Amino acid sequence: MRRIIFNQKGGVGKSSITVNLAALSAASGKKTLLIDLDIQGNSSHYLGVDINAKNDRTVADLLDQTVSWFSVSTPIKNFPQATAYENLDIIPSSPRLAALEPELERRYKIYKLRDALDELENEYERIYIDTPPNLNFYSKAGLIAAHKLLIPFDCDSFSHQALLTLMDNLAELRDDHNRKLMLEGVVVNMFNAQAKFPGQIIENVRELGLPLLEPFIPQSVKMKESHYHQKPLVHFAPKHKLSESFQALYEQLESPVEEPVRDKTA
């Protein structure tokens, strides 16, 4: 199963959510892969990968194979790299993504990531995809390759407006490219339970009819400390309230949907 975390608005915690859910997946015993499509490489850095170091197994190298006429093709299975955490691999980001994007667009290679992940499907039980904070080639490729979508949301009026635009764009992309993409829900991140305004914004989101996932992820300096030490919360501070919120969210996402009980007498 492939889960993508995407919002066109920046600063909503996409990489934090992606890495911590992927780390929880791996810690639960599932063989897990993280794909970092964001040129900033925050997910890669969080997991201890220097995207500026020499590396020929990045997501840019993977996609570059689809447009290079004379390069020797590397098997897809050779791109995932082990992290410091058991069961958790990564295909990291690269600064080369910026220069590569126009050529990928020109040759309409929008389905190549999906094709690559099809080849890796039997190797991994869960694949998490981090995305750039805009609807560009890479985020579209990720959405086309994914099965399930999480939308990170921070509680301000700009986020609410961005969510409306996002839903319109997603509806078009889903109709044109990936009808099987399922919206799992909106993840409320950096939530301040003591303030009234976030609650008002959340009620506005409820009125849109979008699934709001609980618990809401609280705001905490522990997240920044986790980033600094390059250790996901499940390894850095497993008993902290923030970690427990992520654990509860992960368990909700992984809980099987119960089928309705049929009345056998009918």
Side-chain angles (χ1 to χ4, degrees), residues 101-115:
E101 184 176 5
E103 186 68 9
L104 290 168
E105 286 185 321
R106 186 177 70 83
R107 298 197 181 185
Y108 201 70
K109 300 294 184 177
I110 199 74
Y111 297 103
K112 291 301 179 181
L113 180 64
R114 183 190 65 185
D115 295 344

Side-chain angles (χ1 to χ4, degrees), residues 24-202:
L24 284 164
S25 173
S28 74
K30 293 182 176 65
K31 187 67 175 174
T32 303
L33 175 65
L34 190 150
I35 311 286
D36 190 355
L37 293 174
D38 188 353
I39 189 172
Q40 298 177 80
N42 289 335
S43 284
S44 302
H45 176 76
Y46 198 171
L47 289 175
V49 179
D50 180 2
I51 66 170
N52 294 303
K54 182 175 176 57
N55 188 348
D56 58 2
R57 293 162 58 198
T58 71
V59 72
D61 297 287
L62 174 63
L63 294 171
D64 193 20
Q65 291 191 157
T66 69
V67 296
S68 298
W69 289 97
F70 303 109
S71 64
V72 177
S73 181
T74 302
I76 301 301
K77 66 180 182 180
N78 290 352
F79 281 91
Q81 305 169 38
T83 69
Y85 307 103
E86 186 177 3
N87 294 321
L88 182 56
D89 292 349
I90 185 172
I91 302 180
S93 179
S94 166
R96 293 182 53 235
L97 286 173
L100 185 60
E101 184 176 5
E103 186 68 9
L104 290 168
E105 286 185 321
R106 186 177 70 83
R107 298 197 181 185
Y108 201 70
K109 300 294 184 177
I110 199 74
Y111 297 103
K112 291 301 179 181
L113 180 64
R114 183 190 65 185
D115 295 344
L117 297 189
D118 283 346
E119 292 190 42
L120 290 172
E121 188 117 60
N122 292 333
E123 303 292 327
Y124 294 95
E125 295 172 82
R126 296 291 183 270
I127 296 177
Y128 282 82
I129 305 171
D130 191 13
T131 53
N134 49 60
L135 194 62
N136 66 5
F137 175 90
Y138 298 115
S139 53
K140 289 178 182 177
L143 289 162
I144 290 170
H147 302 140
K148 297 182 179 183
L149 165 67
L150 292 177
I151 300 175
F153 181 82
D154 62 338
C155 298
D156 67 35
S157 56
F158 296 118
S159 292
H160 182 258
Q161 183 58 46
L163 190 57
L164 295 173
T165 303
L166 172 61
M167 295 314 299
D168 287 340
N169 290 336
L170 286 174
E172 183 177 353
L173 183 138
R174 185 178 181 276
D175 287 343
D176 291 344
H177 301 290
N178 186 3
R179 291 183 177 272
K180 293 182 179 180
L181 181 64
M182 182 187 85
L183 172 60
E184 285 189 291
V186 176
V187 178
V188 178
N189 193 31
M190 297 176 284
F191 180 67
N192 183 355
Q194 306 304 316
K196 292 183 178 180
F197 182 67
Q200 296 172 3
I201 295 293
I202 286 173

